[in-house]
Amino acid sequence: MAEEADGRGDLPPTPGSELQAPHFLQDVIFHGKFKLLKALTPQESSLCQHGLFFLDGQRRVDYVLSYPSKKPSSGRSGRQATHLLTENAVARSLRRGPQSRERHIPQHQGQRAKEPSGVDVELGCPAETLNGHEDQKILRREEFEGKLRDMGLELEKDEETKISGVSFVKIHAPWNILCREAELMKLKMPTKKVYEVKQLRGVVEKISSLVSKVVEPLHPQVEEHQPKNIKHLSHTFSREKQHLFDLSDKDYFFDSKTRSSIVFEILKRTKCKAKYSMGITSLLGHGVYTAAYPLHDGDINEENAVPNDRKLLYEEWANYGVFYKYQPIGLVRKYFGEKIGLYFAWLGLYTQMLIPASLVGVIVFLYGCATVNDNIPSMEICNTMNNITMCPLCDRVCSYWELSSACATARASHLFDNPATVFFSIFMALWAAMFMEHWKRRQMRLNYEWDLTGFEDEEEALKDHPRAEYELRVMQKSTSKDQKAQHKIKKLTCQDRLPAYMTNLVMMLLMIGVTFAIVFGVILYRISTKAALYMSANPVTRSNAQLTVKTTAAIINLVVILILDEVYGAVARWLTVLEVPKTDKSFEERLIFKTFILKFVNAFTPIIYIAFFRGRLVGRPGSYLYVFESYRMEECAHGGCLMELCIQLSITMLGKQLIQNNLFEIGVPKLKKLIRYIRSKQGAFQEEERQKKLQRYETDHFLEPFAGLTPEYMEMIIQFGFVTLFVASFPLAPLFALLNNIIEIRLDAKKFVTELRRPVAARAKDIGIWYNLLRGVANVAVIINAFVISFTSDFIPRMVYQYMYSPDGSMHGFVNNTLSYFNVSHFQQGKEPMDPLYLGHPVQMCRYKDYRDPPWSTTPYEISKEFWAVLAVRLAFVIVFQNVVMLMSDIVDWLIPDIPKDISLQIHKEKILLVDLFLKEEQGKAGNLERRSCVEGKENWSSSNNNNKHSSSTAAQPRSGLHTNSTNSL
């Protein structure tokens, strides 16, 4: 009986054990008795062997912390004995022995008890040596783990791992802790109440059923895609109303993602008393722990692996063989959480919407191919009988050239510069508006299906929770102030952040200046390389000089963009850390905004230069503009700058998608994983230990940490810019984006399932700031496409000539109308060609593309009236195009409601059902109270009657006695 009361069996009581009982016995004693182990099922035994459960096979591992450790060469230290005492019941019972009877010194709030000999029992090393950095980490780690136990979490350590130098702490959240945190986090959980989801009726139902049958092969083989006519009514979890929820199976009421997110919230807000220690994020930053992550559900490659959600995702989602199927978004949300589920839902919808855009873009391109032989301007350029001699493209080394030599460029430009381009630009603007509206409806439907309605109001308080770094700065500020004013310091003011704001402004301008400088350097490269190629004695080199310069310059731009993207991402994070935002949401939004600005400028500055500046700051023959007085500004080919814009856009877009988005995404994580594995093998453990199967938490340790969704969203936003901003010059952009995204979805899925540690599930109602960025890019796209059509292409000059200057209303004579004359005798001294002859004949007049008066007029080389007419029409087109497209987008926005009608009806129905449920509960409580009061009243009445009878009977006895006595006395 004494042993049973003590709760430790054959372990003798030790001094101080009564003080340590809350930590020492919390995993063992339940109401004064041992927790007996039940027989494990084969599935539970397999999960236990794979590291998903504690050693008792019952408590699930909800979270794992890893830290560096140095294993002793021989014997057990006092600290290892202490760890034996803090493990679970099975581990302690299996390891009972002399070492387990050592004194277990209690630890409270980071205090260390010492033996008289000067040896620290908790750390197992001499007390004199505990002054190093590593010892401080051990102290903070022990203190933090003690705080976690105080919070109700159960811990189990594993220091005898197969990974050299790494130990693990496994964390389990008991049922009562899960209930407490679910109530604090305001988690919505399904109740017992179910209701029927309203189904479509009539013709709509028949059409919907027909469509579902047609696309049935495209659905993945998961339960989430099966039609569900019945839905559980959800409500915010409350411990007082547990009877409303289906708690028949408490082990699976909270799924694995919910359990891990609950533990992570506890880890974030658990604070040590060590100096400036602010939860797990601070401990990770200071190296106290090396990693913190939830576990994946199981293996994916083993044939005999236990069925789990991860394996199902790998088969039906993270597999290139199912690229044609829809994504199992419900299962993705169930495994990774709402935030990641929303990203893949958005990416899937974006990819679907690219299908009609790609079809229209291909049709526009095919239209250009079909009409290239009927295009009169390109026919006039290619006609060798015109014999039009053009002015040199550079000074001295360049000679005169024939206009017919630009035939190939002119014909290629027509593929992208034709009347269908205007239609395609309008279509893409409306497509962007349709995409935004469609996503809002899809997002609202997911909110209803995932029980996120009303999420924003409930989570407002949790979102405002300060970050650890912010609290650290406030604490540092408090300690630097006068002691009397410490209690008044609760936040950082603008004055505190002013140096960080100034640093942000200066660095952002500097990075943008670096981008402009690199673009300017590429311009100088094109100018100098073109002059050098024209000086070559090889006629083939001279004839292909333009194409060589364009292609190599575009490749150089691509390489620079890829390098600067990585640099700008690191700079944006550094600048955001300097600002010390208060909340995680504020930190993420500021980081996203800075990264977007830098990467957007980096990707599109070369394209904007070619589209709007190249060829417009040239001057004219005899009065060219020069850079550094020696480099003449480059001009566009006669076919226009649209072809060069198309080359630059296609190389940049395809290069970023193939190299940065795909190669880096899958190659870098694999390389880092290989490096970590090689480093682990350099430890001093034997070959037979290497061949042992690693536990789940050991396997996940080799995976790449999850770095957030910002890189994933960012690459898609930049791609969205390529698809919409300059689509007038590259109608095939949606097609290339579609092909890339089909691979991107499966690539990202494979990365999340196999290459990354499991992220902590985060709830989110929408995609946040990314929607505002999309809306901004879509609005800017309308303006940029209007300017591209007006100023970069020849669409407006052709229309002006056809309807104002053409003698017969056709395009005949358009090329001659756009070319001005120049007298070669007016060349500046030293700028004329070294060879004054062309084809053996002296040249007196050459032509150049511009609207200027001829040299024989009264105002030679002055801007002509045609120039002002074309400019006026160009500006008018920009205004009309922008307003018409914006108006049509607003009409689309107005016609399509943000919330589907059936979803709004279901949400209203849920509110009514919730009210009815609580009314019935209150009525039931009132009835119970009334019945209880009636029962109590009856009991009181009967007891009072009994008391009265008893009192009356007892009162009657003295009277009879008195009467008897009186009688006897008489």
Side-chain angles (χ1 to χ4, degrees):
M1 293 297 294
E3 289 182 355
E4 183 178 353
D6 185 57
R8 287 175 291 175
D10 59 348
L11 288 177
T14 58
S17 60
E18 65 279 358
L19 299 176
Q20 186 65 19
H23 297 302
F24 170 54
L25 299 177
Q26 65 174 347
D27 297 343
V28 182
I29 300 177
F30 291 87
H31 304 292
K33 297 182 180 180
F34 279 114
K35 181 180 180 181
L36 299 178
L37 300 181
K38 65 179 182 180
L40 302 181
T41 64
Q43 181 175 355
E44 291 175 337
S45 177
S46 175
L47 293 175
C48 180
Q49 292 175 3
H50 286 80
L52 293 175
F53 283 80
F54 279 14
L55 291 180
D56 58 10
Q58 297 182 14
R59 291 174 292 175
R60 180 184 298 273
V61 177
D62 297 320
Y63 219 86
V64 171
L65 306 178
S66 66
Y67 59 92
S69 65
K70 295 182 179 179
K71 299 180 180 179
S73 57
S74 63
R76 286 187 183 272
S77 65
R79 185 167 183 265
Q80 285 176 310
T82 302
H83 288 162
L84 293 179
L85 294 175
T86 58
E87 289 178 352
N88 57 59
V90 174
R92 287 196 293 269
S93 63
L94 292 177
R95 297 184 182 183
R96 287 172 181 166
Q99 294 170 342
S100 65
R101 296 185 177 92
E102 294 180 9
R103 184 188 306 270
H104 185 83
I105 303 300
Q107 57 181 32
H108 291 287
Q109 300 176 354
Q111 301 295 328
R112 295 175 295 161
K114 299 180 181 178
E115 292 283 352
S117 60
V119 176
D120 190 303
V121 179
E122 180 185 344
L123 302 178
C125 55
E128 298 81 27
T129 63
L130 296 181
N131 297 321
H133 188 59
E134 292 299 324
D135 299 324
Q136 292 296 326
K137 290 182 180 180
I138 294 174
L139 286 175
R140 295 176 68 179
R141 193 156 52 237
E142 295 292 340
E143 180 189 3
F144 182 70
E145 292 167 9
K147 292 287 185 180
L148 293 181
R149 294 188 183 95
D150 291 339
M151 293 293 292
L153 298 179
E154 298 177 3
L155 277 60
E156 182 180 81
K157 289 192 176 183
D158 185 2
E159 292 191 334
E160 298 179 358
T161 64
K162 304 177 186 66
I163 304 177
S164 178
V166 180
S167 297
F168 297 93
V169 178
K170 296 174 283 186
I171 302 176
H172 168 76
W175 169 255
N176 60 329
I177 303 303
L178 293 173
C179 294
R180 181 192 71 193
E181 297 299 322
E183 184 174 354
L184 292 176
M185 296 171 63
K186 302 183 183 298
L187 296 180
K188 273 192 172 183
M189 304 301 294
T191 64
K192 297 178 183 178
K193 178 70 175 179
V194 295
Y195 67 95
E196 184 179 0
V197 179
K198 185 178 180 181
Q199 300 297 315
L200 301 174
R201 295 288 185 268
V203 180
V204 180
E205 179 185 9
K206 295 180 179 179
I207 296 176
S208 177
S209 62
L210 179 62
V211 172
S212 62
K213 290 180 181 179
V214 173
V215 300
E216 181 64 28
L218 302 180
H219 287 295
Q221 301 299 320
V222 294
E223 294 181 0
E224 278 71 16
H225 279 290
Q226 302 300 323
K228 296 181 180 179
N229 300 331
I230 296 178
K231 187 178 186 295
H232 281 269
L233 188 65
S234 297
H235 185 258
T236 305
F237 186 81
S238 173
R239 287 175 289 180
E240 296 180 355
K241 295 182 172 58
Q242 288 192 30
H243 58 278
L244 298 178
F245 302 92
D246 184 10
L247 303 180
S248 58
D249 190 355
K250 292 184 178 181
D251 292 337
Y252 294 96
F253 181 74
F254 296 105
D255 56 12
S256 59
K257 74 170 179 60
T258 306
R259 298 175 67 98
S260 62
S261 62
I262 288 175
V263 175
F264 181 67
E265 287 295 326
I266 298 177
L267 293 174
K268 281 200 306 182
R269 70 169 185 263
T270 301
K271 301 178 182 179
C272 300
K273 290 189 177 180
K275 187 177 181 182
Y276 304 149
S277 183
M278 298 290 175
I280 189 62
T281 54
S282 177
L283 296 177
L284 288 171
H286 289 85
V288 178
Y289 291 100
T290 56
Y293 51 90
L295 296 182
H296 281 292
D297 277 357
D299 295 321
I300 55 176
N301 297 321
E302 292 185 0
E303 296 182 358
N304 299 326
V306 178
N308 56 79
D309 290 339
R310 187 190 184 197
K311 186 175 180 64
L312 186 59
L313 283 172
Y314 180 76
E315 295 172 351
E316 295 293 334
W317 183 50
N319 193 342
Y320 294 110
V322 294
F323 72 93
Y324 60 92
K325 289 187 177 183
Y326 293 110
Q327 299 182 85
I329 295 299
L331 187 59
V332 174
R333 173 252 180 179
K334 178 185 175 184
Y335 192 77
F336 291 109
E338 287 79 6
K339 194 169 186 178
I340 295 178
L342 280 174
Y343 163 71
F344 282 103
W346 173 84
L347 181 57
L349 180 64
Y350 171 49
T351 304
Q352 291 178 17
M353 291 293 292
L354 282 173
I355 296 176
S358 302
L359 292 176
V360 177
V362 171
I363 292 173
V364 170
F365 178 76
L366 294 178
Y367 170 82
C369 295
T371 58
V372 65
N373 293 326
D374 300 330
N375 184 39
I376 296 176
S378 60
M379 292 172 60
E380 291 182 348
I381 293 175
C382 295
N383 188 2
T384 57
M385 301 300 294
N386 287 336
N387 195 21
I388 299 177
T389 303
M390 304 296 294
C391 296
L393 296 176
C394 62
D395 295 337
R396 300 294 292 170
V397 296
C398 296
S399 181
Y400 303 102
W401 57 285
E402 196 76 23
L403 180 61
S404 59
S405 62
C407 176
T409 304
R411 290 172 63 88
S413 297
H414 178 74
L415 302 179
F416 308 101
D417 186 8
N418 54 70
T421 303
V422 181
F423 161 76
F424 189 56
S425 299
I426 298 174
F427 170 81
M428 287 303 296
L430 297 179
W431 172 87
M434 290 285 293
F435 166 60
M436 304 301 291
E437 293 303 314
H438 195 180
W439 167 245
K440 285 193 291 186
R441 292 170 61 85
R442 172 66 170 158
Q443 185 174 256
M444 195 62 207
R445 189 175 294 276
L446 291 176
N447 285 337
Y448 164 72
E449 294 176 357
W450 295 351
D451 297 323
L452 293 174
T453 53
F455 164 78
E456 186 174 357
D457 299 333
E458 297 174 356
E459 289 292 303
E460 198 62 36
L462 294 176
K463 288 180 181 178
D464 292 337
H465 186 73
R467 297 172 62 245
E469 291 79 1
Y470 181 84
E471 291 185 346
L472 174 61
R473 284 290 301 275
V474 173
M475 186 183 301
Q476 291 174 342
K477 181 182 176 182
S478 300
T479 55
S480 64
K481 298 292 183 181
D482 198 15
Q483 293 293 329
K484 297 181 180 179
Q486 283 187 14
H487 65 281
K488 298 181 180 179
I489 300 175
K490 297 181 179 179
K491 63 180 181 179
L492 299 179
T493 61
C494 293
Q495 185 177 0
D496 298 326
R497 290 195 175 103
L498 184 60
Y501 289 154
M502 295 302 298
T503 305
N504 271 261
L505 179 61
V506 172
M507 288 299 298
M508 291 286 288
L509 294 177
L510 177 62
M511 293 297 101
I512 294 175
V514 168
T515 302
F516 290 162
I518 291 176
V519 172
F520 183 71
V522 174
I523 294 173
L524 295 182
Y525 163 79
R526 276 200 293 258
I527 295 172
S528 57
T529 305
K530 182 169 61 175
L533 292 178
Y534 277 120
M535 293 175 63
S536 174
N538 190 345
V540 178
T541 303
R542 292 197 303 270
S543 61
N544 295 324
Q546 290 279 0
L547 181 61
T548 302
V549 170
K550 293 175 187 176
T551 306
T552 55
I555 294 175
I556 292 174
N557 267 323
L558 171 63
V559 174
V560 171
I561 287 172
L562 295 179
I563 295 174
L564 289 184
D565 267 354
E566 303 301 321
V567 175
Y568 287 164
V571 170
R573 178 168 289 276
W574 173 66
L575 293 176
T576 309
V577 170
L578 283 181
E579 290 185 5
V580 196
K582 182 177 181 180
T583 62
D584 289 330
K585 180 182 179 183
S586 176
F587 180 90
E588 184 180 11
E589 289 181 350
R590 295 187 185 197
L591 174 62
I592 290 171
F593 182 74
K594 293 183 183 66
T595 308
F596 173 75
I597 293 296
L598 292 176
K599 291 192 175 185
F600 186 87
V601 172
N602 182 40
F604 289 100
T605 298
I607 300 173
I608 291 175
Y609 164 74
I610 295 175
F612 302 124
F613 296 99
R614 183 177 178 180
R616 287 162 180 79
L617 304 175
V618 178
R620 61 171 180 84
S623 181
Y624 285 115
L625 297 179
Y626 291 89
V627 181
F628 302 138
E629 298 182 357
S630 57
Y631 295 101
R632 196 176 99 186
M633 290 297 294
E634 55 185 349
E635 52 187 307
C636 297
H638 188 77
C641 286
L642 204 65
M643 188 61 194
E644 298 181 20
L645 178 62
C646 176
I647 294 175
Q648 178 69 52
L649 187 64
S650 59
I651 291 179
T652 303
M653 180 179 178
L654 296 178
K656 279 180 66 66
Q657 291 180 349
L658 293 177
I659 299 176
Q660 188 180 43
N661 298 353
N662 296 335
L663 184 61
F664 285 1
E665 278 191 15
I666 197 66
V668 172
K670 283 185 176 294
L671 182 61
K672 290 182 178 179
K673 179 181 177 182
L674 179 61
I675 292 174
R676 282 195 298 270
Y677 185 70
I678 293 175
R679 286 179 177 176
S680 70
K681 281 198 169 186
Q682 292 174 354
F685 49 74
Q686 303 299 324
E687 183 67 28
E688 58 268 15
E689 291 182 342
R690 297 180 187 177
Q691 296 177 355
K692 291 181 181 178
K693 184 174 178 59
L694 297 178
Q695 298 287 333
R696 178 79 266 150
Y697 50 87
E698 295 171 329
T699 304
D700 288 358
H701 181 76
F702 289 111
L703 300 179
E704 182 73 8
F706 176 64
L709 289 171
T710 299
E712 313 298 335
Y713 272 114
M714 189 63 66
E715 66 184 67
M716 289 295 106
I717 296 294
I718 298 297
Q719 184 199 85
F720 184 78
F722 284 124
V723 170
T724 56
L725 291 178
F726 295 93
V727 72
S729 62
F730 191 35
L732 295 180
L735 176 63
F736 289 117
L738 173 63
L739 298 177
N740 173 81
N741 287 3
I742 291 175
I743 302 174
E744 178 76 18
I745 290 176
R746 307 303 164 179
L747 184 64
D748 284 347
K750 193 176 183 65
K751 180 176 67 174
F752 272 83
V753 174
T754 63
E755 302 296 333
L756 297 180
R757 293 173 186 162
R758 187 175 183 179
V760 179
R763 289 184 295 168
K765 189 177 182 179
D766 49 40
I767 60 176
I769 191 176
W770 298 110
Y771 181 83
N772 298 328
L773 294 178
L774 283 170
R775 177 68 73 180
V777 171
N779 292 334
V780 172
V782 177
I783 302 174
I784 288 185
N785 279 301
F787 276 95
V788 168
I789 294 172
S790 296
F791 290 91
T792 308
S793 74
D794 285 337
F795 175 75
I796 298 301
R798 288 197 297 263
M799 295 298 101
V800 171
Y801 175 79
Q802 184 175 1
Y803 295 106
M804 294 181 61
Y805 298 103
S806 176
D808 56 356
S810 66
M811 292 300 298
H812 291 286
F814 170 73
V815 174
N816 187 64
N817 180 259
T818 58
L819 297 178
S820 299
Y821 290 89
F822 178 74
N823 192 334
V824 298
S825 61
H826 295 164
F827 271 119
Q828 295 176 347
Q829 184 68 27
K831 304 296 183 182
E832 68 277 0
M834 291 184 294
D835 184 8
L837 302 179
Y838 180 67
L839 299 179
H841 301 283
V843 178
Q844 296 180 352
M845 290 286 178
C846 65
R847 309 291 295 273
Y848 63 98
K849 188 175 182 180
D850 204 349
Y851 290 99
R852 293 183 180 271
D853 293 333
W856 56 81
S857 67
T858 55
T859 56
Y861 308 124
E862 293 293 331
I863 296 176
S864 63
K865 296 179 180 179
E866 287 85 350
F867 172 83
W868 298 110
V870 171
L871 179 61
V873 176
R874 280 175 166 169
L875 295 176
F877 177 84
V878 169
I879 296 173
V880 172
F881 182 90
Q882 176 183 346
N883 286 277
V884 169
V885 174
M886 289 290 188
L887 177 61
M888 296 175 69
S889 299
D890 292 339
I891 292 175
V892 170
D893 192 1
W894 176 70
L895 289 177
I896 302 177
D898 295 343
I899 304 177
K901 187 176 180 180
D902 60 328
I903 297 300
S904 61
L905 292 176
Q906 295 295 340
I907 293 174
H908 182 66
K909 182 178 180 180
E910 278 195 357
K911 292 180 179 179
I912 296 176
L913 291 175
L914 275 175
V915 172
D916 293 341
L917 180 64
F918 286 116
L919 286 178
K920 290 180 181 179
E921 182 188 5
E922 293 298 328
Q923 291 174 0
K925 287 182 178 180
N928 292 334
L929 289 175
E930 185 177 356
R931 286 191 296 270
R932 186 180 303 173
S933 62
C934 291
V935 172
E936 291 177 354
K938 289 180 180 179
E939 292 177 352
N940 293 334
W941 181 78
S942 61
S943 62
S944 62
N945 286 341
N946 293 332
N947 291 335
N948 291 335
K949 290 179 181 179
H950 179 69
S951 61
S952 60
S953 62
T954 55
Q957 288 179 357
R959 285 197 297 269
S960 62
L962 179 61
H963 178 71
T964 305
N965 291 337
S966 61
T967 305
N968 292 334
S969 62
L970 289 174

